[in-house]
Amino acid sequence: MDIIHMSYLVNIVKCNYNLSEASKRIHVTQSALSQFIANFEEREGFILFKRKNNRLVGLTEGGEVIYRYAQQVLSTYEEMMLKARQVVSKQEITVKIGVPSLFQKIYFSALFPKIMLSFPTIKVELIEEDVDKIRSLLLANEIDIALLMEPVELNPVVYQQVKVHTSFLSPFMSLKHPLIKKRLLRWKDLADYKLGVLEESRNLNQQVAEYVHEWTEEPAMTQQSWEDLVQLTSESEMIALLPDLINRYVRRGLVRKVKLKDPIDFTLSACRLHKEKYSVEEEYVFKQILNHFDSFNTIKRR
């Protein structure tokens, strides 16, 4: 098994054994992944994956061993190539990344500084804008990588698009809110209160309006900053609808997240222009973004 085949194996596992998702993530055909599995199992004489109804559902004991070693080898290989480039060339390489302001602090506050600290020849230039502006920058070839909410509205023949994270909007409210003791809210429960949403998440806001339209036509209040929205919510009976992971960053005792039946999902995708060959630095940063989202149980549904 060579480096490429190890990458196949690791990405199949990271995509929850979904060959279609794995093929999109590493930009190979699904048949190439199927052929890799079949050739390996025939050549080595043991089974890598557990199967159910002709679908991959997990790793066998032998597969688990190979997967663990493959992860270590791939990590060492990437570090080796970057360290070698640092020795050969002292030139700083800039990788420009567009990230919606909404998600920068939630998902990326530590990742990019860590990359630049580990590899000083990589300079990550972060562009925080709304989703439409980031898409425009990618189309104009002014950034290398874009983090976009689905639908990304890009031509998949021209742009690689990897779904990296699926989450949902949760209601946040003050500790004195009349609904705070309810264990499970429904959309009709929210209709009697002012709703707060983030200005830049227009697609999500439209869905919010559609969900509560049956009970109220009052538009939601919009704010540019989720911190401001949380502060307003803590001081009133307004209910803020925010990405679930914001709960990690909200000061305890300020507001509380409450479970909502049938919440609105959103999916983030990492996108970049298809190229015949990427620089080692750009490829490393792109893979670090994908690996970073794996820590948030990426693509896997709640």
Side-chain angles (χ1 to χ4, degrees):
M1 184 182 291
D2 59 23
I3 287 290
I4 293 175
H5 291 152
M6 289 182 192
S7 175
Y8 289 178
L9 171 62
V10 168
N11 280 284
I12 289 170
V13 175
K14 287 184 175 180
C15 290
N16 298 316
Y17 310 100
N18 185 318
L19 294 186
S20 176
E21 289 295 338
S23 68
K24 294 174 186 175
R25 176 169 176 153
I26 55 179
H27 193 41
V28 298
T29 64
Q30 188 171 332
S31 61
L33 297 180
S34 298
Q35 192 64 52
F36 149 68
I37 296 169
N39 289 345
F40 179 89
E41 291 181 339
E42 181 179 356
R43 184 175 64 252
E44 300 300 333
F46 70 88
I47 304 300
L48 274 175
F49 294 97
K50 298 175 184 176
R51 293 166 172 84
K52 185 176 181 180
N53 299 327
N54 292 322
R55 297 177 69 88
L56 306 183
V57 296
L59 288 166
T60 63
E61 288 187 17
E64 288 277 5
V65 172
I66 292 177
Y67 173 67
R68 288 198 298 271
Y69 277 99
Q71 284 184 302
Q72 295 172 17
V73 171
L74 286 172
S75 177
T76 302
Y77 175 80
E78 290 170 357
E79 184 176 346
M80 173 190 73
M81 293 302 295
L82 279 168
K83 292 292 185 183
R85 280 185 69 98
Q86 286 181 331
V87 171
V88 173
S89 173
K90 302 297 182 183
Q91 182 180 359
E92 188 176 72
I93 303 297
T94 299
V95 180
K96 296 182 179 181
I97 305 172
V99 180
S101 305
L102 167 62
F103 299 112
Q104 196 281 326
K105 183 173 182 179
I106 305 174
Y107 296 109
F108 298 109
S109 57
L111 175 62
F112 299 133
K114 181 180 176 182
I115 290 174
M116 291 188 289
L117 186 63
S118 301
F119 299 98
T121 56
I122 297 178
K123 178 185 177 184
V124 175
E125 185 176 327
L126 205 59
I127 293 92
E128 291 183 59
E129 291 285 355
D130 62 46
V131 174
D132 291 337
K133 178 64 173 177
I134 290 171
R135 184 186 298 105
S136 297
L137 290 173
L138 183 66
L139 290 169
N141 205 27
E142 294 181 22
I143 56 177
D144 302 298
I145 301 168
L147 275 296
L148 297 172
M149 277 193 295
E150 295 285 337
V152 297
E153 298 175 353
L154 296 171
N155 185 342
V157 176
V158 181
Y159 292 93
Q160 182 183 7
Q161 305 165 30
V162 182
K163 293 180 181 178
V164 292
H165 183 65
T166 294
S167 189
F168 51 95
L169 295 183
S170 285
F172 290 77
M173 60 187 67
S174 76
L175 304 186
K176 297 180 181 180
H177 197 284
L179 298 178
I180 195 67
K181 292 184 179 179
K182 287 184 73 89
R183 299 187 67 179
L184 179 66
L185 296 176
R186 290 170 171 77
W187 282 98
K188 65 179 181 180
D189 297 326
L190 309 186
D192 292 331
Y193 301 92
K194 188 71 176 178
L195 299 180
V197 294
L198 287 162
E199 187 174 306
E200 69 175 70
S201 52
R202 284 190 288 276
N203 289 343
L204 296 178
N205 297 348
Q206 184 177 352
Q207 291 184 63
V208 170
E210 292 171 356
Y211 269 59
V212 298
H213 176 72
E214 183 178 345
W215 300 283
T216 180
E217 293 187 4
E218 183 179 1
M221 175 185 288
T222 60
Q223 287 286 320
Q224 290 187 335
S225 161
W226 69 261
E227 291 96 338
D228 291 343
L229 194 53
V230 166
Q231 187 62 44
L232 282 171
T233 301
S234 72
E235 299 168 353
S236 68
E237 291 188 353
M238 185 173 72
I239 298 173
L241 291 167
L242 294 165
D244 185 71
L245 278 175
I246 281 179
N247 196 46
R248 295 186 179 191
Y249 302 94
V250 172
R251 180 162 54 86
R252 184 172 296 181
L254 193 61
V255 295
R256 184 183 298 168
K257 181 185 76 170
V258 181
K259 191 173 182 180
L260 177 66
K261 182 177 175 61
D262 299 323
I264 294 173
D265 289 349
F266 65 88
T267 297
L268 277 179
S269 288
C271 307
R272 62 178 177 175
L273 184 70
H274 281 309
K275 298 179 183 177
E276 189 172 322
K277 185 175 179 60
Y278 297 99
S279 71
V280 173
E281 290 81 7
E282 182 181 340
E283 185 67 11
Y284 176 78
V285 171
F286 192 75
K287 286 182 178 178
Q288 286 300 303
I289 291 172
L290 302 189
N291 293 338
H292 179 66
F293 274 105
D294 289 334
S295 67
F296 294 109
N297 297 319
T298 62
I299 298 180
K300 189 175 181 179
R301 298 297 292 263
R302 59 193 180 285

